[in-house]
């Protein structure tokens, strides 16, 4: 990541992480911290808590699971879409319908939880630079490729 890629975001960068599995949440925290050591990371295990945090504070980036036991799973991506917050889905579900629904919300990155750590890191790096990235499992499971939203469509 270059210095110029960080200049469009105020420092320190704030990340909101949402996953209802503690191990997955810890893995996300560690991955973000390995790439952005000074990041402010706010972790939540319920959609309600994450939604409240989004309503009360500004975040530069959001990473969330799509299968949360409590709340509506699309609430957080919908918020990110409306507010133009770059977000990444970190989920074990990468079926064609889910990715199609998320494409309509201008998802920035999608990483399957069973993907290698290198792909998670690559997804975070692309998220930081607002570039589309779908891990190989998401691409294989859906026959879709990341759309190009840079044109403003």
């Amino acid at each position: 990541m270059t210095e110029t890629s960080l200049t469009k975001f105020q420092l320190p960068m704030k990340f909101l992480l949402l996953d209802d599995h503690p191990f997955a949440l810890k893995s996300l925290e560690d991955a973000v911290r390995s790439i952005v050591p000074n990041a402010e990371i706010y972790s939540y295990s319920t959609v309600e808590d994450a939604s409240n945090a989004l309503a009360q504070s500004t975040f530069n980036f959001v990473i969330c699971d799509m299968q949360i036991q409590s709340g509506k799973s699309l609430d957080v991506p919908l918020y990110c879409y409306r507010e133009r917050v770059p977000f990444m889905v970190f989920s074990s579900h990468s079926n064609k319908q889910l990715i199609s629904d998320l494409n309509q919300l201008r998802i920035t990155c999608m990483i399957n939880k069973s993907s290698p750590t290198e792909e998670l890191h690559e997804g975070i790096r692309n998220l930081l630079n607002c570039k589309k990235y779908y891990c190989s499992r998401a691409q294989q499971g859906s026959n879709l490729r990341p759309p190009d939203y840079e044109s403003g469509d």
Side-chain angles (χ1 to χ4, degrees), residues 79-143:
Y79 173 89
C80 293
Y81 173 75
R82 283 191 310 270
E83 300 299 321
R84 299 184 126 346
V85 177
F87 74 100
M88 179 172 89
V89 170
F90 182 62
S91 182
S92 56
H93 303 279
S94 57
N95 63 60
K96 186 175 183 175
Q97 185 59 51
L98 173 64
I99 294 176
S100 177
D101 292 345
L102 291 169
N103 276 336
Q104 294 175 19
L105 298 177
R106 294 189 181 130
I107 180 176
T108 306
C109 301
M110 180 158 189
I111 305 298
N112 189 289
K113 286 182 178 179
S114 62
S115 294
T117 303
E118 296 79 29
E119 283 194 304
L120 174 58
H121 287 188
E122 186 65 22
I124 293 169
R125 282 189 288 275
N126 278 276
L127 181 68
L128 290 170
N129 290 299
C130 298
K131 292 185 178 178
K132 306 295 175 210
Y133 180 80
Y134 289 4
C135 72
S136 58
R137 290 183 189 269
Q139 290 179 21
Q140 291 168 358
S142 67
N143 295 323

Side-chain angles (χ1 to χ4, degrees), residues 13 15 27-42 124:
M13 287 185 275
F15 285 79
S27 295
L28 280 176
E29 290 171 3
D30 292 346
V32 169
R33 189 90 48 222
S34 73
I35 295 168
V36 188
N38 296 328
E40 289 183 16
I41 300 174
Y42 300 83
I124 293 169

